[in-house]
């Protein structure tokens, strides 16, 4: 595997600097020395450029196009602030993401609240803080909102519709099929739309749909346009996110321009020309902008060569939950070498980061980098086996700054009420 092929999976602008992998102008060995390992490194400029690319791709093809960052992909306040600074809306799923978005300084009027099981507390928070759009997922959402929204006010809503599409992705991230827990089938969506239109405190601005996540075929995403457009004319049509990214050397996701062109081509003639179109990228906004750096703690040579690192499913659950394939390299010896299995430190056989990946003579103390960890890894980080959740470092122009600190040992006890 050549250096250029390996670098192709790391954040744009990554280079080899005097034999060492460098991200955002910062050598990964320097970052590891300053912040310890494991550590997630985010190339800030790559996230900003991705946001600009998304806006340009859609707004150049549709007059009233908006892009909302799906916060659940990376609900870090610094990421949410960055997305807001670049002109993106924020898709928030639940009260916690509202709180972090507000802490990031985001305008609540430019937020969309999602969730298939919203509580009274979350809806009260959204209404009190002035969240711009609440995506109604069920009739119970309407019941709750009609109790919560005070007379004389109108809460803008979108109705989430099940488009009836079987997505070519992992079952756990498929959301557009008839059996999905999300949204309403078209016949029920019509009832919900009518009910909201008759409400004294709610306003139906439009409809929402989502096919699934990590889709590598733009046509599958565009297939949701027709069933949603068939529900009538609205001011807003939100087609969700779901564009896949390149996790492995073999993956070939569509470029953002291709995705935008495919979606807009499908929308023309089906969606009113003066309507507002929203898309909600999450994974495809941040995944490729980050990598995670580990230190090798053990190399066990037998029937399988196990290379164990100081992290694992505590900082990357994508492998265990979704069977997602990742690649890896030693930071000072890119590509090539013997086939090994990279495993984590947790007491579980399922704590395997990468099965069969070539590493160049790995040894204890080596630094190993896994690219494309900028989506859902931070989101699902945990303290399994008392592990401390890892820090997030932003790198840009040769400067590295800490935006999320590593857990301390005290953090492991912070929520206990009774201590000896």
């Amino acid at each position: 595997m050549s250096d250029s092929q390996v670098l192709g999976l790391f954040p744009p602008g990554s280079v080899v600097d005097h034999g060492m992998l460098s991200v955002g102008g910062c050598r990964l060995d320097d970052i590891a020395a300053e912040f310890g390992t494991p550590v997630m490194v985010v190339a800030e400029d790559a996230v900003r450029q991705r946001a600009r690319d998304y806006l340009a791709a859609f707004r150049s093809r549709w007059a009233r196009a908006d892009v909302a960052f799906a916060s659940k992909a990376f609900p870090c306040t610094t990421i949410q602030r960055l997305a807001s600074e670049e002109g993106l809306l924020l898709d928030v799923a639940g009260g916690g993401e509202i709180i972090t978005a507000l802490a990031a300084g985001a305008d609540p009027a430019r937020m969309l609240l999602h969730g298939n099981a919203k509580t009274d507390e979350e809806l009260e928070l959204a209404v009190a803080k002035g969240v711009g759009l609440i995506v109604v997922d069920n009739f119970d959402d309407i019941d709750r909102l009609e109790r919560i929204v005070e007379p004389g006010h109108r809460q803008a809503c979108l109705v989430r519709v099940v488009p009836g599409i079987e997505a070519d992705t992992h079952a756990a991230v498929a959301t557009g099929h008839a059996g999905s827990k999300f949204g309403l089938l078209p016949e029920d969506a019509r009832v919900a739309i009518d009910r909201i239109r008759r409400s004294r405190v709610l306003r139906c601005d439009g409809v929402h749909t989502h096919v699934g996540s990590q889709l590598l075929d733009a046509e599958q995403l565009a297939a949701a346009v027709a069933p949603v457009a068939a529900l009538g004319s609205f001011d807003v049509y939100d087609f969700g996110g779901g564009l896949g990214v390149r996790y492995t050397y073999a993956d070939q996701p569509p470029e953002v321009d291709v995705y935008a062109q495919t979606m807009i081509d499908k929308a023309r003639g089906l969606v009113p020309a003066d309507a507002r179109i929203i898309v909600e990228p999450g994974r495809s906004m941040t995944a490729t902008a980050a990598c995670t750096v580990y230190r090798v703690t053990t190399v066990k040579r037998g029937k399988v060569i196990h290379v164990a690192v100081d992290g694992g499913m505590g900082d990357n659950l994508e492998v265990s939950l979704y069977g997602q394939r990742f690649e890896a390299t030693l930071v000072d010896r890119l590509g090539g070498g013997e086939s090994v299995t990279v495993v984590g430190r947790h007491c579980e056989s399922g704590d395997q980061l990468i099965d069969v990946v070539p590493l160049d003579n790995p040894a204890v103390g080596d630094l190993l980098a896994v690219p494309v960890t900028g989506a859902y890894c931070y989101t699902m980080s945990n303290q399994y086996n008392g592990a401390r959740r890892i820090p997030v470092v932003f790198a840009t122009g040769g400067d590295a700054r800490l935006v999320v600190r590593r857990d301390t040992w005290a953090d492991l006890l912070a929520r206990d009420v009774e201590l000896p």
Side-chain angles (χ1 to χ4, degrees), residues 177-188:
H177 56 289
S180 173
K181 75 172 187 177
F182 298 99
L184 295 166
L185 294 170
E187 56 268 30
D188 290 328

Side-chain angles (χ1 to χ4, degrees), residues 37-337:
T37 58
V39 56
M40 179 180 288
V41 182
V42 179
E44 179 177 350
D45 291 347
V47 181
R48 290 189 181 278
Q49 188 59 54
R50 191 67 161 173
R52 295 166 189 169
D53 290 346
Y54 252 106
L55 284 172
F58 277 90
R59 287 183 173 171
S60 65
R61 292 171 170 86
W62 192 269
R64 293 184 65 206
D66 269 315
V67 177
F69 170 58
S71 296
K72 62 182 177 289
F74 202 156
C76 160
T77 53
T78 306
I79 290 285
Q80 290 176 311
R81 181 181 304 116
L82 183 155
S84 296
E85 288 173 352
E86 293 298 333
L88 305 188
L89 310 177
L90 288 183
D91 153 359
V92 290
E97 290 181 12
I98 295 176
I99 294 299
T100 56
L102 291 172
D107 180 358
R110 291 176 57 79
M111 296 181 197
L112 303 87
L113 175 64
H114 287 281
N116 70 298
K118 305 180 194 73
T119 64
D120 283 8
E121 179 185 23
E122 289 172 321
L123 289 172
E124 287 167 358
L125 176 65
V127 171
K129 296 299 183 181
V131 167
L133 286 168
I134 294 179
V135 180
V136 168
D137 192 271
N138 48 65
F139 292 109
D140 297 310
D141 279 352
I142 301 175
D143 292 341
R144 291 188 175 96
L145 284 169
E146 288 194 316
R147 291 198 307 268
I148 292 167
V149 180
E150 295 182 358
H153 295 273
R154 289 269 181 176
Q155 174 61 54
C157 302
L158 303 179
V159 173
R160 181 155 178 169
V161 184
V162 179
I165 295 168
E166 297 288 339
D168 184 15
T169 189
H170 192 283
V173 291
T175 57
H177 56 289
S180 173
K181 75 172 187 177
F182 298 99
L184 295 166
L185 294 170
E187 56 268 30
D188 290 328
R190 292 180 188 278
V191 175
I193 290 166
D194 181 62
R195 183 173 163 189
I196 294 171
R197 282 174 170 168
R198 289 186 285 107
S199 174
R200 295 183 178 181
V201 293
L202 306 180
R203 186 181 77 229
C204 184
D205 278 16
V207 285
H208 175 281
T209 193
H210 184 68
V211 176
S213 186
Q214 186 52 16
L215 296 179
L216 301 178
D217 181 356
E219 292 292 344
Q220 276 206 321
L221 292 160
V225 174
V228 170
L231 291 170
S233 294
F234 303 94
D235 184 56
V236 178
Y237 294 82
D238 188 327
F239 297 121
L243 181 65
V245 300
R246 187 172 179 238
Y247 282 99
T248 74
Y249 300 114
D251 290 337
Q252 295 185 344
E255 296 292 337
V256 171
D257 273 327
V258 172
Y259 168 46
Q261 189 67 54
T262 304
M263 295 295 293
I264 297 306
D265 282 349
K266 189 68 70 172
R268 287 198 178 97
L270 295 176
V271 171
D274 60 348
R276 181 186 182 199
I277 284 179
I278 301 174
V279 291
E280 300 173 349
R283 187 188 308 271
S284 61
M285 185 67 66
T286 58
T288 58
C291 65
T292 302
V293 182
Y294 303 93
R295 192 170 295 279
V296 174
T297 58
T298 298
V299 178
K300 190 181 296 182
R301 296 179 181 275
K303 182 176 181 181
V304 174
I305 301 174
H306 287 106
V307 175
V309 297
D310 54 359
M313 63 193 302
D315 55 79
N316 187 343
L317 271 176
E318 286 273 285
V319 183
S320 298
L321 285 184
Y322 307 129
Q324 180 58 59
R325 163 80 186 183
F326 286 82
E327 306 288 356
T329 185
L330 300 176
V331 301
D332 60 348
R333 303 190 294 283
L334 271 61

Side-chain angles (χ1 to χ4, degrees), residues 381-399:
S381 60
N382 59 82
Q383 297 173 327
Y384 186 27
N385 291 148
R388 293 176 294 171
R389 286 170 297 191
I390 73 174
V392 178
V393 172
F394 269 40
T396 180
D399 293 324

